[in-house]
Amino acid sequence: MRSRQFWMVPITVALLTVMFAVAPSQAEVYKMALSLAITGPTSDAGNPYAKGVEDYIRYVNDTKLLGEDTVQCPIRDDQYQTDITKRNFEEFLDDGIVFYLNYSTGSTQALKRDFDEEKIPVIPASMDAGNLVDSTYIFLPIASYSSQCIALAEYITKNHKNGTPQVAMFIHPSAFGRGPVDDVRKAVKAGLKMDIVEVVEHGKDLDNTAMLQRLMSKKVRYVICQTVQSPVATLIKDAQRLGLTAKTFGEDGKLTFVGAHYTGGNDLIELAGSAAEGYFWTTSYALTSEPGKGTDFQMMLAKKYNRDEKTANSHNYTNGMMVAQTAVETMRRVKQKGGKVTREALFKELNAMNGDNAYSPGNTVAPVTYSPSDRAGVDSVQIYSVQKGVFRAVGEPFAPEYVEKIKK
Amino acid sequence: MSYFLQLVLSGIVVGSIYALSGLGFVLIYKSSRVLNIAHGQIIAAGAFITYTLTVWGGLPLYLSFFLSMGVTFFLAMSVERIFLRRLIGEPIISVIMVTIGLMSILDGIIYLTPFGGSNFSFPEFFPKTPINLGPVSISWTQLVGVIITFILIGLFSWFFKKSTIGISMRAVSDDQLASMSVGISVPRVFGLAWALAGMSAAAAGGIIGNITGLNFETLHAFGIIVFPVVILGGLDSIVGAVVAGIIMGVIQQFASGYLDGKWGLNGTADVLPYIILLIILLFKPHGLFGTHEIERV
């Protein structure tokens, strides 16, 4: 009896060893999450953005991009309200997320300290440069609003003829709108040759006649818009009615309208109709109206998950897709190096995403690069303008020079 | 001088649209002393119904415009029948709270439709070239908007002053018990007031949507933006809504045209109307044309 017991122990150990060796390793689930405005203010941007994130994560799991490992990414509506965002974030933390996608400028800045305390890498939809001040774990997806506005200002100065261009800024009455104003002013101080004649914070205006004529009386020739599409649509429709819209860039005696990421896209054309013609816009994303490898993938993804044409062609769908791509790529790299996918490992990997390790998601005009001293993803921007009802690329992508100059 | 005239004209245009948007508040308050906080959502719904009928239904814009007024007529009447009829005789604050709840419900319903999270625009219906009146200009959309506003306001004024139902509505507004004692159906009057308010909201939505494009946030905000207009005009006065709307519109344009950008001022167009509203209310607490009720204690 004793000898039987004696043999049972090594046999059991041997059997267990064989079982563990033969059985496949346990698949991991990487948890990330997104809180954004699917309803409420800016939900017109939030909706396609959420779909972009959702579709890419489904694609990763369906095509086993991370092998047997999967990514879980619950998406919750915060109605553009910071208190709801905070509640969502806290619940996501309880679920054990290792990566977080946030949305608005207000909530990103309000939760900065929480992100630092939790040491969790965050990519918000907001591209406000202020997100990076006094924070370590926030990474902007593309060039900041400030960089975009400076890029537009540089484009104006390079293409303006006859003297110093007189410029007005038309901004959203919030932190999101005001953010880039100081940086553009700094660029002017640093040597960018233009005059900022006026900064206009818009309301819910039905008629911009007074404002447009006031700008004309001050010899303003360019209006840099940093807001959302709807007020820009009303503005450019009024300018068209008053016969003030420039037919060519910088036409003398007329107004040329230019704008940052959230002012443009197909929604602007939808809202403004023919008044959008000749509107100049900048973003770091590739557009489906200028097809390429990245946009082909985007169209395939949208088709695979039965998205309508409007969503498939939305630059906010691209935006959502791209942040999900960046998060998943970071996880893949950590995994490839044999590390455990933790908040700390992802943070380190994001900071190493530069030089030869820069990441090209395909739907941006330049690679995504992060480092401890540069947490804005894509540093270059592309200027687009509306030609015959679609946005067309104007020139080549470029990195605005004054972004670095004003840092010094 | 042409600058001044252009500002006046723009002010009248904006003010007329404010008046039409505020009319729904007045119609409901005039008959039931209730403030409908969900009015902005009905404005947005009217615009979306017009769009649906025009773009997806293939109907001409003008026909969709009138049909949407019909749809919101019955929609608002149903809302009153389902949610508010039971509250007749209950404290006004309860009814107002119900309209706040109604606002959330309508928000939720609209967010379930494509209009909740996307932008749309009416097909270009009017000529793009503006109408030049000497040194000033106005777009076709604005001109038609102003004409529709004045026609509707004229019709409603006539309705309240001359028609039997309109006079019944005024009677209910003055004294519900006395009205019932002479055989007026108070619930029917309330239902009709809501229905007419819904109709005017659809008209406002159609006009605003043509100017700004169809964005839910922008459209329903007009329910709040016009609130100072109806307070200034007097909550129960149709003429008051028109006069106050034009005052507000002109003040906004003058503030934007003459004050903004000078002496470091900015955004005065959004603030000045409220300052003037406060000053006027100091002297006329019931608004410019509101009924001054004398209560005997």
Coordinates of all heavy atoms in Angstrom, one line a residue, chain A residues 41-95:
Chain A
P41 N -23.5 68.0 -26.5 CA -22.6 68.9 -27.3 C -21.5 68.1 -28.0 O -20.9 67.2 -27.3 CB -22.1 69.9 -26.4 CG -23.0 70.0 -25.2 CD -23.6 68.6 -25.1
T42 N -21.2 68.4 -29.2 CA -20.1 67.8 -30.0 C -20.3 66.3 -30.3 O -19.4 65.6 -30.7 CB -18.7 68.0 -29.4 OG1 -18.6 67.1 -28.3 CG2 -18.4 69.4 -28.9
S43 N -21.6 65.8 -30.1 CA -21.8 64.4 -30.4 C -21.7 64.1 -31.9 O -21.5 63.0 -32.2 CB -23.2 64.0 -29.8 OG -24.2 64.8 -30.3
D44 N -21.8 65.2 -32.7 CA -21.6 64.9 -34.1 C -20.2 64.5 -34.4 O -20.0 63.7 -35.4 CB -22.0 66.2 -34.9 CG -21.3 67.5 -34.4 OD1 -20.8 67.5 -33.3 OD2 -21.3 68.5 -35.2
A45 N -19.3 64.9 -33.6 CA -17.9 64.4 -33.7 C -17.7 63.1 -33.0 O -17.1 62.2 -33.4 CB -16.9 65.4 -33.3
G46 N -18.3 63.0 -31.8 CA -18.2 61.9 -30.9 C -18.7 60.6 -31.5 O -18.1 59.5 -31.3
N47 N -19.8 60.7 -32.2 CA -20.4 59.5 -32.7 C -19.5 58.7 -33.7 O -19.3 57.5 -33.5 CB -21.7 59.9 -33.5 CG -22.9 59.4 -32.7 OD1 -23.2 58.3 -32.6 ND2 -23.7 60.4 -32.2
P48 N -19.1 59.3 -34.8 CA -18.2 58.6 -35.7 C -16.9 58.2 -35.0 O -16.3 57.2 -35.3 CB -17.9 59.6 -36.8 CG -18.4 60.9 -36.4 CD -19.4 60.7 -35.3
Y49 N -16.4 59.0 -34.0 CA -15.2 58.8 -33.3 C -15.3 57.4 -32.5 O -14.5 56.5 -32.6 CB -14.9 59.9 -32.3 CG -13.6 59.9 -31.6 CD1 -12.5 60.6 -32.1 CD2 -13.4 59.2 -30.4 CE1 -11.3 60.6 -31.5 CE2 -12.2 59.1 -29.8 CZ -11.1 59.8 -30.3 OH -9.9 59.8 -29.6
A50 N -16.5 57.3 -31.8 CA -16.7 56.1 -31.1 C -16.8 54.9 -32.0 O -16.2 53.8 -31.7 CB -18.0 56.2 -30.3
K51 N -17.4 55.1 -33.2 CA -17.5 53.9 -34.1 C -16.1 53.5 -34.7 O -15.8 52.4 -34.9 CB -18.4 54.3 -35.3 CG -19.9 54.4 -34.9 CD -20.8 55.0 -35.9 CE -22.2 55.1 -35.4 NZ -23.0 56.0 -36.2
G52 N -15.2 54.5 -34.8 CA -13.9 54.2 -35.3 C -13.1 53.4 -34.3 O -12.5 52.4 -34.6
V53 N -13.3 53.7 -33.0 CA -12.6 53.0 -31.9 C -13.2 51.5 -31.9 O -12.5 50.5 -31.9 CB -12.8 53.7 -30.6 CG1 -12.2 52.8 -29.4 CG2 -12.0 55.0 -30.5
E54 N -14.5 51.5 -31.9 CA -15.2 50.2 -31.7 C -14.8 49.3 -32.9 O -14.5 48.1 -32.6 CB -16.7 50.5 -31.8 CG -17.6 49.2 -31.5 CD -19.1 49.5 -31.7 OE1 -19.5 50.7 -31.6 OE2 -19.8 48.5 -31.9
D55 N -14.9 49.8 -34.1 CA -14.6 48.9 -35.3 C -13.2 48.4 -35.3 O -12.9 47.2 -35.6 CB -14.9 49.7 -36.6 CG -16.4 49.9 -36.8 OD1 -17.1 49.4 -36.0 OD2 -16.7 50.6 -37.7
Y56 N -12.2 49.3 -34.9 CA -10.8 48.8 -34.9 C -10.6 47.7 -33.9 O -9.9 46.7 -34.1 CB -9.8 50.0 -34.8 CG -8.4 49.5 -35.0 CD1 -8.0 49.2 -36.3 CD2 -7.6 49.2 -34.0 CE1 -6.8 48.6 -36.6 CE2 -6.3 48.7 -34.2 CZ -5.9 48.4 -35.5 OH -4.7 47.9 -35.7
I57 N -11.2 47.9 -32.7 CA -11.0 46.9 -31.6 C -11.6 45.6 -32.1 O -11.0 44.5 -31.9 CB -11.6 47.4 -30.3 CG1 -10.8 48.7 -29.8 CG2 -11.5 46.3 -29.2 CD1 -9.4 48.6 -29.5
R58 N -12.8 45.7 -32.7 CA -13.5 44.4 -33.2 C -12.6 43.8 -34.2 O -12.4 42.5 -34.2 CB -14.8 44.8 -33.8 CG -15.9 45.0 -32.8 CD -17.1 45.5 -33.4 NE -17.9 44.5 -34.2 CZ -19.0 44.8 -34.9 NH1 -19.4 46.0 -34.9 NH2 -19.6 43.8 -35.6
Y59 N -12.0 44.6 -35.1 CA -11.1 44.1 -36.1 C -9.9 43.4 -35.5 O -9.5 42.3 -35.9 CB -10.6 45.2 -37.0 CG -9.6 44.9 -38.1 CD1 -10.1 44.3 -39.2 CD2 -8.3 45.1 -37.9 CE1 -9.1 43.9 -40.2 CE2 -7.4 44.8 -38.9 CZ -7.8 44.2 -40.0 OH -6.9 43.9 -41.0
V60 N -9.3 44.0 -34.5 CA -8.1 43.4 -33.8 C -8.5 42.0 -33.3 O -7.8 41.0 -33.4 CB -7.7 44.3 -32.6 CG1 -6.7 43.6 -31.7 CG2 -7.0 45.6 -33.2
N61 N -9.7 41.9 -32.6 CA -10.1 40.6 -32.0 C -10.5 39.6 -33.1 O -10.2 38.4 -33.0 CB -11.2 40.9 -31.0 CG -10.7 41.7 -29.8 OD1 -9.6 41.7 -29.5 ND2 -11.6 42.4 -29.2
D62 N -11.2 40.1 -34.1 CA -11.7 39.2 -35.2 C -10.6 38.6 -36.0 O -10.6 37.5 -36.4 CB -12.7 39.9 -36.1 CG -14.0 40.2 -35.4 OD1 -14.2 39.7 -34.3 OD2 -14.8 41.0 -36.0
T63 N -9.6 39.4 -36.2 CA -8.5 39.0 -37.1 C -7.3 38.4 -36.3 O -6.2 38.2 -36.8 CB -8.0 40.1 -38.0 OG1 -7.6 41.2 -37.2 CG2 -9.0 40.5 -39.0
K64 N -7.5 38.4 -35.0 CA -6.4 37.9 -34.1 C -5.1 38.6 -34.3 O -4.0 38.0 -34.4 CB -6.2 36.4 -34.2 CG -7.5 35.6 -33.9 CD -7.2 34.1 -33.7 CE -8.4 33.3 -33.4 NZ -9.2 33.6 -32.2
L65 N -5.2 39.9 -34.3 CA -4.0 40.7 -34.5 C -3.0 40.6 -33.3 O -1.8 40.8 -33.5 CB -4.4 42.2 -34.7 CG -3.6 43.0 -35.7 CD1 -3.9 42.5 -37.1 CD2 -4.0 44.5 -35.5
L66 N -3.6 40.2 -32.2 CA -2.7 40.0 -31.0 C -2.7 38.5 -30.6 O -2.6 38.2 -29.5 CB -3.2 40.9 -29.8 CG -3.1 42.4 -30.0 CD1 -3.8 43.1 -28.8 CD2 -1.7 42.8 -30.1
G67 N -2.8 37.7 -31.6 CA -2.8 36.3 -31.4 C -4.0 35.9 -30.7 O -5.1 36.3 -31.0
E68 N -3.9 35.0 -29.6 CA -5.0 34.6 -28.8 C -5.5 35.7 -27.9 O -6.6 35.6 -27.3 CB -4.7 33.3 -28.1 CG -4.5 32.1 -28.9 CD -5.7 31.8 -29.8 OE1 -6.8 31.8 -29.3 OE2 -5.5 31.5 -31.0
D69 N -4.6 36.6 -27.6 CA -5.0 37.7 -26.7 C -6.0 38.6 -27.3 O -6.0 38.8 -28.5 CB -3.7 38.5 -26.3 CG -2.7 37.7 -25.6 OD1 -3.0 36.6 -25.2 OD2 -1.6 38.2 -25.4
T70 N -6.9 39.2 -26.5 CA -7.9 40.1 -27.0 C -7.9 41.4 -26.3 O -7.3 41.5 -25.2 CB -9.3 39.4 -26.9 OG1 -9.5 39.0 -25.5 CG2 -9.5 38.3 -27.8
V71 N -8.5 42.4 -26.9 CA -8.6 43.7 -26.3 C -10.1 43.9 -26.0 O -11.0 43.7 -26.8 CB -8.1 44.8 -27.3 CG1 -8.2 46.2 -26.6 CG2 -6.7 44.5 -27.7
Q72 N -10.3 44.4 -24.8 CA -11.7 44.8 -24.4 C -11.8 46.3 -24.2 O -10.9 46.9 -23.5 CB -12.0 44.1 -23.0 CG -13.4 43.8 -22.8 CD -13.5 43.1 -21.4 OE1 -13.3 43.7 -20.4 NE2 -13.8 41.8 -21.4
C73 N -12.7 46.9 -24.9 CA -12.8 48.4 -24.8 C -14.2 48.9 -24.7 O -14.8 49.2 -25.7 CB -12.1 49.0 -26.1 SG -12.0 50.8 -26.0
P74 N -14.7 48.9 -23.5 CA -16.1 49.4 -23.3 C -16.1 50.9 -23.7 O -15.1 51.6 -23.4 CB -16.4 49.2 -21.8 CG -15.1 49.0 -21.2 CD -14.1 48.4 -22.2
I75 N -17.2 51.3 -24.3 CA -17.3 52.8 -24.7 C -18.6 53.3 -23.9 O -19.6 52.8 -24.0 CB -17.5 52.9 -26.2 CG1 -16.3 52.3 -26.9 CG2 -17.8 54.3 -26.6 CD1 -16.4 52.2 -28.4
R76 N -18.4 54.4 -23.2 CA -19.5 55.0 -22.5 C -19.7 56.5 -22.9 O -18.8 57.2 -23.1 CB -19.2 54.9 -21.0 CG -19.5 53.6 -20.5 CD -19.9 53.6 -19.0 NE -19.7 52.3 -18.4 CZ -19.4 52.1 -17.2 NH1 -19.3 53.2 -16.4 NH2 -19.3 50.9 -16.7
D77 N -21.0 56.8 -22.9 CA -21.4 58.2 -23.2 C -21.2 59.1 -21.9 O -21.6 58.7 -20.8 CB -22.8 58.2 -23.6 CG -23.3 59.6 -24.0 OD1 -22.5 60.5 -24.3 OD2 -24.6 59.8 -24.1
D78 N -20.5 60.2 -22.1 CA -20.5 61.2 -20.9 C -21.2 62.5 -21.2 O -21.1 63.4 -20.4 CB -19.0 61.4 -20.5 CG -18.2 62.0 -21.6 OD1 -18.7 62.7 -22.5 OD2 -16.9 61.8 -21.6
Q79 N -21.9 62.6 -22.3 CA -22.7 63.8 -22.7 C -21.9 65.0 -22.6 O -22.4 66.1 -22.3 CB -23.9 63.9 -21.8 CG -24.9 62.7 -21.9 CD -25.8 62.6 -20.8 OE1 -26.1 63.6 -20.1 NE2 -26.3 61.4 -20.5
Y80 N -20.5 65.0 -22.7 CA -19.7 66.1 -22.7 C -19.6 66.8 -21.3 O -19.4 68.0 -21.2 CB -20.1 67.1 -23.8 CG -19.0 68.0 -24.3 CD1 -18.0 67.5 -25.1 CD2 -19.0 69.4 -24.1 CE1 -17.0 68.3 -25.6 CE2 -18.0 70.2 -24.6 CZ -17.0 69.7 -25.3 OH -16.0 70.5 -25.8
Q81 N -19.9 66.0 -20.3 CA -20.0 66.5 -18.9 C -18.8 65.9 -18.1 O -18.8 64.7 -18.0 CB -21.3 66.2 -18.3 CG -22.4 67.0 -18.9 CD -23.8 66.7 -18.3 OE1 -23.9 66.5 -17.1 NE2 -24.8 66.7 -19.1
T82 N -18.0 66.8 -17.6 CA -16.8 66.3 -16.9 C -17.1 65.4 -15.7 O -16.4 64.4 -15.5 CB -16.0 67.5 -16.4 OG1 -15.7 68.3 -17.6 CG2 -14.7 67.1 -15.7
D83 N -18.2 65.7 -15.0 CA -18.5 64.9 -13.8 C -18.9 63.4 -14.2 O -18.5 62.5 -13.6 CB -19.7 65.5 -13.0 CG -20.9 65.8 -13.8 OD1 -20.8 66.1 -15.0 OD2 -22.0 65.7 -13.2
I84 N -19.6 63.3 -15.4 CA -19.9 62.0 -15.8 C -18.6 61.3 -16.3 O -18.4 60.1 -16.1 CB -20.9 62.0 -17.0 CG1 -22.2 62.7 -16.5 CG2 -21.3 60.6 -17.5 CD1 -23.3 62.8 -17.5
T85 N -17.7 62.0 -17.0 CA -16.5 61.5 -17.5 C -15.7 60.9 -16.3 O -15.1 59.8 -16.4 CB -15.6 62.5 -18.2 OG1 -16.4 63.2 -19.1 CG2 -14.4 61.9 -18.9
K86 N -15.7 61.7 -15.2 CA -14.9 61.3 -14.0 C -15.5 60.0 -13.5 O -14.7 59.0 -13.1 CB -14.9 62.4 -13.0 CG -14.0 62.1 -11.8 CD -13.8 63.3 -10.9 CE -13.2 63.1 -9.6 NZ -11.8 62.6 -9.7
R87 N -16.8 59.9 -13.4 CA -17.4 58.7 -12.9 C -17.1 57.5 -13.8 O -16.8 56.4 -13.3 CB -19.0 59.0 -12.8 CG -19.7 57.9 -11.9 CD -21.1 58.4 -11.6 NE -21.9 58.5 -12.8 CZ -22.7 59.5 -13.1 NH1 -22.8 60.5 -12.2 NH2 -23.4 59.5 -14.2
N88 N -17.2 57.7 -15.1 CA -16.9 56.6 -16.0 C -15.5 56.2 -15.8 O -15.2 55.0 -15.8 CB -17.1 57.1 -17.5 CG -18.5 57.3 -17.9 OD1 -19.4 56.8 -17.2 ND2 -18.8 58.0 -19.0
F89 N -14.6 57.1 -15.7 CA -13.1 56.8 -15.6 C -12.9 56.0 -14.3 O -12.2 55.0 -14.3 CB -12.3 58.1 -15.6 CG -10.9 57.9 -15.3 CD1 -10.1 57.1 -16.2 CD2 -10.2 58.4 -14.2 CE1 -8.7 56.9 -16.0 CE2 -8.9 58.2 -14.0 CZ -8.1 57.4 -14.9
E90 N -13.6 56.4 -13.2 CA -13.4 55.6 -12.0 C -13.9 54.2 -12.1 O -13.3 53.3 -11.5 CB -14.0 56.4 -10.8 CG -13.1 57.6 -10.4 CD -13.9 58.6 -9.5 OE1 -15.0 58.4 -9.2 OE2 -13.2 59.6 -9.1
E91 N -15.0 54.1 -12.8 CA -15.6 52.7 -12.9 C -14.7 51.9 -13.8 O -14.5 50.7 -13.6 CB -17.0 52.8 -13.5 CG -18.0 53.2 -12.4 CD -19.4 53.4 -12.9 OE1 -19.7 52.9 -14.0 OE2 -20.1 54.1 -12.2
F92 N -14.1 52.5 -14.8 CA -13.2 51.8 -15.7 C -11.9 51.3 -14.9 O -11.4 50.2 -15.1 CB -12.7 52.7 -16.9 CG -13.8 53.0 -17.9 CD1 -13.9 54.3 -18.5 CD2 -14.7 52.0 -18.3 CE1 -14.8 54.6 -19.4 CE2 -15.7 52.3 -19.2 CZ -15.7 53.6 -19.8
L93 N -11.5 52.2 -14.0 CA -10.3 51.8 -13.2 C -10.7 50.6 -12.3 O -9.8 49.7 -12.2 CB -9.9 53.0 -12.3 CG -9.2 54.2 -12.9 CD1 -9.0 55.3 -11.8 CD2 -7.9 53.8 -13.6
D94 N -11.9 50.6 -11.8 CA -12.3 49.4 -11.0 C -12.3 48.2 -11.8 O -12.1 47.1 -11.3 CB -13.7 49.6 -10.4 CG -13.7 50.7 -9.4 OD1 -12.6 51.1 -8.9 OD2 -14.8 51.3 -9.1
D95 N -12.5 48.3 -13.1 CA -12.5 47.1 -14.0 C -11.1 46.7 -14.4 O -10.9 45.7 -15.1 CB -13.3 47.4 -15.3 CG -14.8 47.5 -15.1 OD1 -15.2 47.1 -14.0 OD2 -15.5 48.1 -15.9

